[in-house]
Amino acid sequence: MYVDGKDVSADSGARLTIVNPATGRPIATVPDGVGVDVDNAVAVARAAFESGPWPRMSRTARAKALLRAADALEAASDTLYTLETQNNGRPITETRAQLSRVPEWFRYNAGLLAAQRDAVLPSDGPYLTYQKRAPLGVCGIITPFNHPAMILARSLSAALATGNTVVVKPSELTPLTTLAIARIVTESGIPEGVINVVTGGRDAGIRLTEHEDIAKITLTGGTEAGRSAAGATSKRFARITAELGGKTPVIVFDDYDPTRAAEGAAFAAFVASGQSCVAGARFLVQRGRYDEFVAALVARAEKIRLGDPADTSTQMGPMISDRQRRKVLEYIDIGREEGARVAAGGEVPELPGALNDGFFVQPTVLADATNSMRVSQEEIFGPVAVVVPFDTEEEAIEMANDNRFGLGAGVWTRDIGRAHRVAEAIESGMVWVNDHHRLEPSLPWGGVKESGAGKDAGTESFDDFTWIKTIVVRIADDDVDWYGSDEPGRLN
């Protein structure tokens, strides 16, 4: 683990084995932290907040520190994306593209910090009223296995920019880039104790959400984990931002070329092996072009190259674990039983050498589904695209919203009026039109319904790592004497 600028072991000495999911073979061990380890890390972070220099630095000094961290992360990008590819099995072309953007979050939040203005509020009478923002304190960040570096950067950069100290609990499956980033950022000039990482499993995550000294939790994970964290933080009125599950509807209208839509659909469904909360999971396709779309999507899925994630020719990697692979295969069987047609994939591929021990699943298309099927309603979190026909725009909107999740959505159409109309009608925190999964540091990221609460990225995230103090200053020369006034209600 990484606490107070040093590598430390778990209090118990226990360790976790980290596996390369492309081969099923161990690549590292890390400490298996539990509650006492979280307590130790929080104590360090609290001391750094209460008596350390970080919250007391000028905005300019803190912004410069974040910019130095961004430069250091950029310089280390080759090491980071190689490490992440080994740890979570995403093809190196994907991790290179994603991790090359990690420094952007630090530069963006440094810019927000440098440009931040305190509000002056209108007041009746002889008063000057203004607001000041202050950091919350010690913040906990819980990250998932699928995008560990990117999701860490989103929250960490905002928490640091606003003067907080941090304890991070990465997924027990993919802690390696988190540990590397914490070291790089600290060594670039962030004071020791400001960033702390506790590796471990469920017990460590629960203790972090329940800890009385944690002022805010930012969590990306499953809906049940988010529900548990929300309950824990609510007991002490701590803040929480939770990005949870999704079952992203992607509506394809018949005015869009079905082959081109299928190319976009393949990216939406199969990037990160479908292990993304905003993966295109439900394709609602207008009936007039439905057969053409399915045929084009099947053709594209069957050409996707599975293989060694470290090979630049590989287009799709494995599931994160054998457990996740078994879950995905079970859902494919459920789809068959429900009456969906396995139009592509649906099996474990045969791969050469050590890759055959990895946790791969073929890119899968379940066609001729209905929106009420379990495979259309429940999050599979794997490379499974479910395709459902529809007739009218109204029906497509109703089907898109008929789900307990509301994180992301997509619309493919050449009708500009329809694009805006449908995007507005979909109950989702984010909607892409004629594209998918695009993000920027300035774009708030988060969902509605059971997909969570709050926003990562954007000014919304930056502001939510602070609390507001309102200051009212009387600027009149005379004194305040309520009881000495001859006129009730008048202040002398």
Side-chain angles (χ1 to χ4, degrees):
M1 301 183 287
Y2 189 74
V3 178
D4 203 14
K6 298 180 284 293
D7 293 334
V8 300
S9 298
D11 185 72
S12 68
R15 299 187 71 83
L16 289 168
T17 299
I18 306 302
V19 170
N20 181 342
T23 63
R25 296 177 180 175
I27 55 172
T29 66
V30 297
D32 187 5
V34 291
V36 64
D37 303 295
V38 172
D39 292 345
N40 293 338
V42 173
V44 167
R46 182 177 178 181
F49 182 78
E50 292 182 345
S51 57
W54 185 248
R56 293 157 190 84
M57 282 185 183
S58 69
R59 292 180 183 177
T60 300
R62 214 157 56 231
K64 285 181 177 179
L66 287 172
L67 293 175
R68 288 195 301 270
D71 291 343
L73 289 167
E74 192 166 68
S77 61
D78 286 0
T79 299
L80 289 173
Y81 71 67
T82 300
L83 186 62
E84 187 140 305
T85 292
Q86 291 176 331
N87 198 174
N88 77 352
R90 289 187 67 175
I92 201 161
T93 51
E94 289 184 17
T95 53
R96 179 190 292 126
Q98 189 175 77
L99 269 70
S100 68
R101 303 197 63 193
V102 162
E104 292 180 30
W105 264 259
F106 286 82
R107 291 175 179 138
Y108 173 77
N109 281 290
L112 288 184
L113 176 62
Q116 186 184 35
R117 294 183 177 184
D118 293 318
V120 176
L121 307 177
S123 294
D124 290 337
Y127 299 97
L128 172 65
T129 303
Y130 61 96
Q131 291 181 332
K132 300 289 288 185
R133 287 188 175 271
L136 299 175
V138 183
C139 298
I141 300 174
I142 300 175
T143 58
F145 70 78
N146 54 347
H147 313 293
M150 177 64 75
I151 289 174
L152 172 64
R154 274 194 328 220
S155 298
L156 179 62
S157 57
L160 295 180
T162 46
N164 299 282
T165 59
V166 174
V167 176
V168 184
K169 209 298 284 184
S171 166
E172 63 271 28
L173 301 174
T174 56
L176 301 185
T177 46
T178 298
L179 289 164
I181 288 170
R183 295 186 187 107
I184 291 166
V185 172
T186 301
E187 291 166 3
S188 74
I190 305 293
E192 293 178 353
V194 171
I195 306 168
N196 306 278
V197 180
V198 177
T199 55
R202 184 171 179 270
D203 289 346
I206 290 173
R207 178 56 185 150
L208 190 60
T209 63
E210 293 177 345
H211 201 290
E212 58 276 8
D213 288 335
I214 294 293
K216 176 177 177 175
I217 287 288
T218 299
L219 178 148
T220 303
T223 297
E224 291 311 310
R227 208 186 307 276
S228 174
T233 53
S234 69
K235 293 178 182 177
R236 63 183 188 278
F237 301 104
R239 297 188 187 181
I240 184 168
T241 295
E243 185 213 313
L244 308 177
K247 191 67 178 181
T248 299
V250 179
I251 302 174
V252 180
F253 287 97
D254 60 9
D255 62 358
Y256 202 96
D257 179 81
T259 299
R260 295 181 66 184
E263 291 169 355
F267 170 75
F270 304 130
V271 69
S273 302
Q275 297 173 114
S276 174
C277 296
V278 294
R282 274 189 303 155
F283 292 92
L284 311 177
V285 183
Q286 200 155 22
R287 201 175 299 274
R289 310 299 293 271
Y290 177 83
D291 290 337
E292 294 172 84
F293 175 88
V294 170
L297 181 58
V298 166
R300 175 64 71 178
E302 290 178 341
K303 291 179 181 178
I304 292 175
R305 294 188 296 274
L306 281 70
D308 181 358
D311 187 335
T312 56
S313 68
T314 295
Q315 295 178 319
M316 200 179 92
M319 302 288 89
I320 190 62
S321 65
D322 183 55
R323 176 184 177 185
Q324 184 62 25
R325 176 171 64 177
R326 284 186 277 110
K327 175 189 171 185
V328 171
L329 293 172
E330 287 170 7
Y331 266 111
I332 293 170
D333 287 340
I334 288 169
R336 287 190 181 100
E337 293 167 3
E338 290 180 310
R341 173 170 59 92
V342 180
E347 305 292 340
V348 173
E350 289 288 333
L351 294 171
L355 295 176
N356 211 42
D357 296 325
F359 311 129
F360 291 86
V361 174
Q362 293 173 336
T364 299
V365 178
L366 297 181
D368 306 339
T370 67
N371 200 54
S372 61
M373 290 180 179
R374 285 183 61 189
V375 291
S376 300
Q377 289 293 315
E378 299 175 14
E379 186 175 39
I380 299 174
F381 223 66
V384 180
V386 180
V387 193
V388 181
F390 74 88
D391 292 302
T392 66
E393 178 181 316
E394 293 73 21
E395 183 185 13
I397 293 170
E398 181 180 356
M399 291 166 69
N401 291 337
D402 181 21
N403 192 267
R404 63 193 180 100
F405 297 113
L407 186 58
V411 180
W412 294 78
T413 181
R414 290 299 182 192
D415 184 330
I416 187 66
R418 171 185 280 163
H420 288 289
R421 190 167 61 243
V422 174
E424 186 173 343
I426 294 175
E427 297 167 354
S428 176
M430 299 162 288
V431 181
W432 294 279
V433 176
N434 299 340
D435 208 333
H436 202 86
H437 209 157
R438 300 300 172 176
L439 72 164
E440 301 288 341
S442 59
L443 305 183
W445 185 279
V448 296
K449 299 193 283 190
E450 292 192 27
S451 287
K455 295 289 185 181
D456 262 334
T459 57
E460 290 81 357
S461 174
F462 182 91
D463 289 344
D464 201 50
F465 278 102
T466 66
W467 60 277
I468 296 175
K469 178 185 293 185
T470 301
I471 302 171
V472 182
V473 181
R474 181 175 171 83
I475 59 176
D477 286 335
D478 56 330
D479 296 328
V480 176
D481 187 2
W482 178 273
Y483 296 107
S485 172
D486 294 332
E487 299 179 30
R490 178 179 175 181
L491 295 177
N492 290 335

